[in-house]
């Protein structure tokens, strides 16, 4: 008997125990039945999230500690600058901590004396301006009345100034900004204290710091680190001392000029010009010369012109004669490189970057010069900026002359019959 449809369907549905029924073709875009997520995928996702969280946390911490890191960087370069003096005193059986204290004490006394003299000069000028203000006001009022045929009186001007809205708003803003100024002053003092403490510990514990750094490095790397440290100390200290000598010479020269002209506060102005012109890169000369010119103008307008002429002439003397001799063995970098490093340092760290840019670039240049292999340059005229003659074929003038006067090949020298 032929099997029925039910029997045939039953036979097809039944399968042996050791066989697997054929799986149907999955629909397009559908995952296969029984597929599982790879075991590595959850771990990879967790690791990626952990890395993102760690990066965000590190970025937040870096932005929060930027001020502290900048202070440590300034303190490190300050410690490198005073390292030669401290080492010189330590080599003469003086405790390194006490030698560092003496160096910082000398710097503190010099800074306090300069600030005191500069403050007394500014205070004296302000008092003089306040005392002479009525005379200045009378002269201005007389000029206005004579020129514009008016009848303005000083009492009216004073009453108008005292009852003006501008003066009232200025007084209110000044009173409100007292707290901000006080906070900035306290913040600056705290920053100065932080830099001083770090610089003191870096200078006093310099050998211990070097031993700590070298203890985590193999012997071959230790020599490289010590060599780099020595180069940094030499270049930073050389930069500071050469600038100090140039500041002393500049201050003495400007003091002699101002004293000869009879300008008041000549010693303070000489110190001002020497320090500002040497330790503020690029624009320091112009900032330094502005104050003596202003004070000289109050004495005699012609004196301000003399001061300007002297500043320009002395700057050329310093750039072409004094500075190359003093910095040839300490910080010998190209002026264009120095200018570019100052701009880059200002863009990165502001005024701090401008101050430490030149010694940092000098250190990097010396370090590369010690480890980069150099070769002798061939004696080629092109090295000196001249074109090589006799090897490049005829010149342009000769080729043009030949093109005009030389006849083509195959053409006879006779004209048409």
């Amino acid at each position: 008997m032929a099997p029925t449809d039910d029997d045939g369907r039953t036979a097809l549905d039944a399968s042996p125990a050791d066989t697997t029924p054929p799986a149907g073709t999955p629909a397009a875009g559908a995952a296969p039945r029984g597929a599982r997520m790879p075991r590595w995928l959850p771990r990879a996702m967790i690791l990626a999230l952990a890395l993102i969280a760690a990066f965000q946390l590190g970025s937040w911490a870096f932005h929060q500690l930027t001020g502290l890191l900048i202070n440590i960087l300034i303190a490190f370069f300050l410690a490198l600058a005073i390292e030669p003096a401290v080492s010189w005193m330590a080599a003469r059986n003086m405790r390194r901590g006490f030698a560092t204290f003496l160096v910082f004490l000398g710097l503190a006394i010099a800074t306090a004396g300069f600030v005191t003299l500069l403050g007394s000069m500014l205070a004296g000028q302000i008092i003089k301006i306040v005392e002479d203000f009525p005379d200045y006001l009378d002269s201005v009022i007389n000029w206005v009345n004579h020129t514009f045929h008016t009848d303005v009186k000083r009492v009216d001007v004073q009453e108008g100034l005292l009852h003006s809205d501008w003066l009232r708003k200025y007084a209110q803003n000044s009173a409100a900004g007292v707290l901000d100024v006080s906070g900035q002053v306290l913040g600056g003092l705290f920053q100065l204290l932080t830099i001083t403490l770090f610089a003191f510990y870096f200078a006093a514990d310099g050998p211990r710091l070097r031993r700590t750094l070298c203890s985590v490095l193999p012997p071959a790397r230790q020599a490289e680190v010590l060599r780099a440290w020595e180069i940094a100390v030499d270049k930073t200290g050389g930069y500071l001392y050469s600038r100090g000598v140039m500041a002393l010479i500049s201050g003495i020269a400007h003091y002699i000029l101002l004293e000869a002209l009879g300008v008041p506060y000549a010693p303070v102005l000489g110190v001002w010009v020497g320090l500002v012109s040497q330790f503020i890169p690029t624009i320091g000369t112009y900032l330094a010369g502005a104050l003596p010119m202003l004070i000289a103008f109050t004495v005699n307008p012609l004196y301000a012109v003399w001061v300007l002429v002297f500043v320009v002439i002395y700057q050329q003397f310093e750039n072409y004669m004094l500075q190359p001799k003093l910095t040839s063995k300490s910080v010998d970098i190209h002026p264009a490189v120095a200018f570019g490093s100052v701009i880059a340092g200002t863009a990165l760290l502001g005024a701090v970057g401008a101050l430490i840019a030149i010694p940092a670039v000098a250190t990097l240049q010396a370090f590369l010069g010690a480890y980069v292999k150099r070769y002798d340059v061939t004696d080629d005229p092109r090295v000196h900026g001249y074109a090589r003659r006799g090897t490049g074929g005829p010149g342009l003038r000769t080729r043009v002359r030949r093109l005009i006067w030389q006849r083509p090949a195959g053409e006879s020298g006779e004209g048409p019959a």
Side-chain angles (χ1 to χ4, degrees):
M1 181 183 297
T4 61
D5 293 338
D6 294 338
D7 297 336
R9 187 179 299 109
T10 302
L12 290 174
D13 291 339
S15 59
D18 57 347
T19 60
T20 303
T25 304
R33 186 180 301 174
R36 294 182 178 180
M37 181 184 298
R39 294 182 178 180
W40 57 267
L41 185 58
R43 292 195 296 268
M45 295 176 63
I46 294 174
L47 181 60
L49 292 176
L51 291 177
I52 293 175
F55 175 77
Q56 294 293 335
L57 181 61
S59 177
W60 172 81
F62 178 78
H63 286 294
Q64 294 296 324
L65 298 176
T66 301
L68 178 61
L69 295 177
I70 293 177
N71 292 337
I72 293 176
L73 181 63
I74 299 173
F76 179 71
F77 272 94
L78 180 59
L80 291 179
I82 66 174
E83 176 79 16
V86 175
S87 299
W88 181 82
M89 287 187 287
R92 284 156 177 78
N93 298 326
M94 184 180 295
R95 295 183 58 185
R96 193 174 182 87
F98 184 68
T100 307
F101 172 76
L102 290 180
V103 173
F104 272 98
L105 181 62
L107 292 176
I109 292 174
T111 304
F114 173 71
V115 172
T116 302
L117 293 176
L118 184 62
S120 63
M121 181 192 69
L122 294 178
Q125 292 298 319
I126 292 173
I127 292 174
K128 183 179 179 181
I129 291 174
V130 171
E131 290 178 350
D132 296 341
F133 181 76
D135 296 334
Y136 294 150
L137 186 59
D138 287 338
S139 63
V140 172
I141 291 174
N142 292 331
W143 179 81
V144 171
N145 291 333
H146 179 74
T147 304
F148 300 101
H149 304 287
T150 58
D151 189 15
V152 180
K153 297 180 180 179
R154 189 177 71 180
V155 178
D156 298 335
V157 176
Q158 291 177 351
E159 290 293 331
L161 289 175
L162 292 176
H163 295 88
S164 62
D165 294 335
W166 172 82
L167 184 61
R168 179 173 52 82
K169 292 180 180 179
Y170 178 78
Q172 292 176 355
N173 294 332
S174 299
V178 170
L179 294 178
D180 295 336
V181 173
S182 301
Q184 292 178 0
V185 170
L186 292 177
L189 292 176
F190 180 76
Q191 184 178 4
L192 180 61
L193 179 62
T194 303
I195 293 173
T196 304
L197 288 176
F198 275 107
F200 181 85
Y201 288 130
F202 285 153
D205 293 339
R208 184 185 302 176
L209 180 61
R210 286 190 285 270
R211 285 195 299 268
T212 303
L213 292 176
C214 293
S215 63
V216 297
L217 298 174
R221 297 296 181 183
Q222 292 178 10
E224 303 296 332
V225 171
L226 294 176
R227 182 177 177 83
W229 193 292
E230 182 181 4
I231 291 175
V233 169
D234 292 339
K235 294 302 177 180
T236 307
Y239 170 77
L240 179 65
Y241 297 138
S242 61
R243 289 292 174 177
V245 172
M246 288 191 294
L248 179 62
I249 298 175
S250 176
I252 293 175
H254 288 83
Y255 162 73
I256 294 174
L257 172 70
L258 297 174
E259 189 68 26
L261 294 176
V263 178
Y265 305 104
V268 183
L269 292 175
V271 175
W272 164 266
V273 173
L275 292 178
V276 175
S277 63
Q278 300 303 324
F279 290 99
I280 296 182
T282 308
I283 61 173
T285 302
Y286 309 103
L287 294 178
L291 184 59
M293 288 175 56
L294 180 62
I295 303 299
F297 185 82
T298 60
V299 178
N300 190 341
L302 185 61
Y303 290 171
V305 178
W306 283 109
V307 172
L308 176 61
V309 172
F310 183 81
V311 167
V312 173
I313 294 176
Y314 181 82
Q315 183 65 29
Q316 302 305 316
F317 165 75
E318 182 182 281
N319 290 338
Y320 293 101
M321 296 186 65
L322 185 61
Q323 183 174 352
K325 293 182 179 180
L326 292 177
T327 61
S328 59
K329 296 182 180 180
S330 57
V331 186
D332 188 14
I333 59 177
H334 195 274
V337 177
F339 182 71
S341 64
V342 170
I343 294 177
T346 305
L348 293 175
L349 299 176
V352 176
L355 290 175
I356 67 176
I358 294 179
V361 171
T363 302
L364 179 61
Q365 179 179 343
F367 187 75
L368 293 178
Y371 291 99
V372 175
K373 187 177 181 180
R374 295 181 180 272
Y375 301 92
D376 293 334
V377 181
T378 59
D379 190 10
D380 195 311
R382 290 172 292 183
V383 175
H384 305 285
Y386 302 104
R388 178 181 290 182
R389 299 181 180 272
T391 58
L396 178 63
R397 187 175 178 180
T398 305
R399 291 198 299 267
V400 171
R401 184 180 298 174
R402 289 179 179 178
L403 182 64
I404 294 175
W405 297 102
Q406 188 176 7
R407 296 181 179 181
E411 215 177 80
S412 62
E414 300 179 356

